Amino acid sequence: MIEKADLVVIGSGPGGYVAAIRAAQLGKKVAIVEAKEIGGVCLNVGCIPSKALISVGHRYQESINSNFMGIDNLETKLNFEQFQKWKNKTVINTLTSGVEMLLKKNGVTIIRGHAKFESKNKLKIIKRNNETLYITFNSAIIATGSRPIEIPGFEFSKRILDSTGALNLSELPTSISIIGAGYIGCELASAYANLGVEVTLIESLNRILSNFEEDISNIVEKSLIDKGVKIITSATAKHTKENEEMVQTVINTAEGEVLNIADYLIVTVGRKPNTDTLNLGKIGVDLDEKGFIIVNSKYQSSLSHVYAIGDVIHGLALAHKATYDAKVAAEVITGKDVVRDYRCIPSICFTDPEISMVGVNQKEAKEKNLKVETSEFPIQANGRAITLNETSGFVRLVYLQDSKELVGAQIVGVNASEIIGELTMAIENYLTIEDISLIIHGHPTLSETIMDAAELGKGLPIHL
């Protein structure tokens, strides 16, 4: 059985499904191939379910710790099984079925199965019922995403889990240990600690969240410790042993070996691209030594009609970056004269408090020979933050010394994930701190911290 398409998209995550819809909107006959579930990792086992877990952790903490507001709590109980049902049915299924509907309404043909390249213009697809389908195409977009890295000796099992397994536990554990204190590890540590789980966080570097500036990661570290999380830095997991009820891990630390025992061990040490099963070598698509597809500014691989986006190419492994890639690649395929322009991509970590950053920080500015200044406004001076009882953190603006143009920003504090959007737009539009200070911000809102930070940079602070 052979089908034909102008464009075939492999993978239906936030890169793949967006590329398929945009190309269809622009007149192409599009097919999309998905081996697992529509929506990919992000909607099914990543971004969305992890935020659901974080959300229930916040609600639980608010319920048991709101006496200061005059709210008496007789008893708060967590039904973890009910949470999982809500997460899977109301949250995930709503979004994945919505994406499937959007694909169909835009005329995209959905094919469920594993795809590999048979030739430069043909895919072989093993469907879920084991039937074989061939599809020929003029262009292809590879959007197969990435998967967690396994550490030798710590292969995933019943008690040793990746982030997917950590989000799909059938019952709330009493204790977990996490190897890797990057954004995934710290988000899981924060969420489970909020639910009363005993958490140990193991990191090989000398601090957590090394991708963020140290004064930012220090605030999150203090919050985690306050929640009871045990943080072990400059440490490596040596070996592990598991049984039906627990997992034992021997950890090398500066003070010697430590034996850690927990219900589960979660490994979050990074991800690798899903490019090894596509038969790319057969058709001449070039990969680097880590398996990433090499592309140009139009997302074209070494085969000009085969494109790649998202986690399978170099760059930040972020869903919103994959979505951006998708739109540009789809427009290139439909004949538009466009190229990618990563002027700034926001990065967000949903810890307590949240972290977000965009553009360059002070260190990066120095490396780029940019002369910059900074202004930093404390969240505790914001009226809305006080009413939310969430006052830790700050907003930092990084701007050029001569023109005062904003080139970077870092936020640690409540709703940092939402506030960063304004600063992303400011950098994209080359705004100065003068421009930002003149924007009328609603009151009382957390976004006023941006205006206050800009005024501080001008030397005319009102609220500090």
Side-chain angles (χ1 to χ4, degrees), residues 247-324:
V247 56
Q248 300 180 15
T249 306
V250 175
I251 306 168
N252 276 338
T253 73
E255 289 75 33
E257 289 189 352
V258 174
L259 178 63
N260 175 262
I261 301 174
D263 293 344
Y264 296 95
L265 176 66
I266 303 168
V267 181
T268 62
V269 294
R271 303 180 67 85
K272 61 182 179 180
N274 292 323
T275 56
D276 50 338
T277 62
L278 295 172
N279 219 12
L280 296 176
K282 181 177 182 179
I283 63 170
V285 170
D286 292 339
L287 307 176
D288 71 4
E289 68 280 358
K290 293 185 177 180
F292 290 102
I293 299 172
I294 301 170
V295 296
N296 62 17
S297 61
K298 293 179 179 288
Y299 299 100
Q300 294 170 303
S301 71
S302 49
L303 284 182
S304 60
H305 70 291
V306 176
Y307 298 72
I309 61 173
D311 288 8
V312 297
I313 65 174
H314 274 290
L316 297 171
L318 300 171
H320 46 280
K321 181 258 190 187
T323 296
Y324 172 88

Side-chain angles (χ1 to χ4, degrees), residues 125-325:
I125 302 167
I126 306 299
K127 300 176 73 175
R128 292 185 180 180
N129 60 5
N130 289 323
E131 289 182 358
T132 300
L133 169 69
Y134 292 92
I135 183 168
T136 61
F137 55 86
N138 297 324
S139 301
I141 295 178
I142 300 170
T144 47
S146 60
R147 64 186 185 271
I149 294 173
E150 278 188 307
I151 304 173
F154 295 81
E155 288 77 14
F156 300 131
S157 61
K158 182 179 178 180
R159 292 283 163 183
I160 302 174
L161 309 176
D162 60 9
S163 56
T164 298
L167 293 169
N168 287 302
L169 295 172
S170 59
E171 60 183 15
L172 188 69
T174 57
S175 60
I176 61 171
S177 296
I178 302 172
I179 299 177
Y183 77 97
I184 295 176
C186 287
E187 283 185 359
L188 289 172
S190 184
Y192 274 112
N194 277 339
L195 295 174
V197 177
E198 182 182 321
V199 180
T200 301
L201 195 54
I202 306 159
E203 171 57 49
S204 61
L205 300 178
N206 62 0
R207 66 181 180 91
I208 68 172
L209 295 169
S210 58
N211 288 339
F212 295 90
E213 290 174 286
E214 189 168 359
D215 57 350
I216 291 175
S217 65
N218 286 344
I219 292 175
V220 176
E221 180 174 346
K222 181 180 183 304
S223 173
L224 288 169
I225 292 172
D226 289 345
K227 295 177 189 297
V229 176
K230 183 179 181 181
I231 299 174
I232 307 174
T233 55
S234 301
T236 55
K238 187 176 180 181
H239 57 80
T240 188
K241 181 180 179 181
E242 63 179 301
N243 57 35
E244 287 297 314
E245 297 180 348
M246 63 180 182
V247 56
Q248 300 180 15
T249 306
V250 175
I251 306 168
N252 276 338
T253 73
E255 289 75 33
E257 289 189 352
V258 174
L259 178 63
N260 175 262
I261 301 174
D263 293 344
Y264 296 95
L265 176 66
I266 303 168
V267 181
T268 62
V269 294
R271 303 180 67 85
K272 61 182 179 180
N274 292 323
T275 56
D276 50 338
T277 62
L278 295 172
N279 219 12
L280 296 176
K282 181 177 182 179
I283 63 170
V285 170
D286 292 339
L287 307 176
D288 71 4
E289 68 280 358
K290 293 185 177 180
F292 290 102
I293 299 172
I294 301 170
V295 296
N296 62 17
S297 61
K298 293 179 179 288
Y299 299 100
Q300 294 170 303
S301 71
S302 49
L303 284 182
S304 60
H305 70 291
V306 176
Y307 298 72
I309 61 173
D311 288 8
V312 297
I313 65 174
H314 274 290
L316 297 171
L318 300 171
H320 46 280
K321 181 258 190 187
T323 296
Y324 172 88
D325 294 347

Side-chain angles (χ1 to χ4, degrees), residues 269-424:
V269 294
R271 303 180 67 85
K272 61 182 179 180
N274 292 323
T275 56
D276 50 338
T277 62
L278 295 172
N279 219 12
L280 296 176
K282 181 177 182 179
I283 63 170
V285 170
D286 292 339
L287 307 176
D288 71 4
E289 68 280 358
K290 293 185 177 180
F292 290 102
I293 299 172
I294 301 170
V295 296
N296 62 17
S297 61
K298 293 179 179 288
Y299 299 100
Q300 294 170 303
S301 71
S302 49
L303 284 182
S304 60
H305 70 291
V306 176
Y307 298 72
I309 61 173
D311 288 8
V312 297
I313 65 174
H314 274 290
L316 297 171
L318 300 171
H320 46 280
K321 181 258 190 187
T323 296
Y324 172 88
D325 294 347
K327 294 173 185 176
V328 175
E331 293 191 2
V332 170
I333 289 169
T334 55
K336 294 185 179 295
D337 185 18
V338 294
V339 295
R340 71 182 179 197
D341 177 17
Y342 295 148
R343 175 158 169 76
C344 60
I345 303 174
S347 294
I348 302 166
C349 186
F350 291 84
T351 46
D352 281 342
E354 292 180 353
I355 307 172
S356 60
M357 63 180 181
V358 67
V360 298
N361 59 31
Q362 297 168 83
K363 180 182 178 182
E364 292 165 340
K366 186 176 181 180
E367 291 170 352
K368 294 182 177 183
N369 294 318
L370 297 176
K371 293 183 178 180
V372 298
E373 296 177 351
T374 64
S375 61
E376 187 176 301
F377 188 81
I379 301 292
Q380 66 180 6
N382 176 261
R384 181 61 177 144
I386 294 171
T387 65
L388 293 170
N389 196 43
E390 298 280 358
T391 57
S392 63
F394 55 81
V395 172
R396 178 188 291 138
L397 305 183
V398 183
Y399 48 90
L400 298 180
Q401 196 176 79
D402 51 359
S403 66
K404 308 300 181 185
E405 177 194 327
L406 187 71
V407 293
Q410 300 88 44
I411 305 173
V412 54
V414 58
N415 282 7
S417 58
E418 302 290 343
I419 303 172
I420 200 66
E422 178 181 337
L423 293 167
T424 304

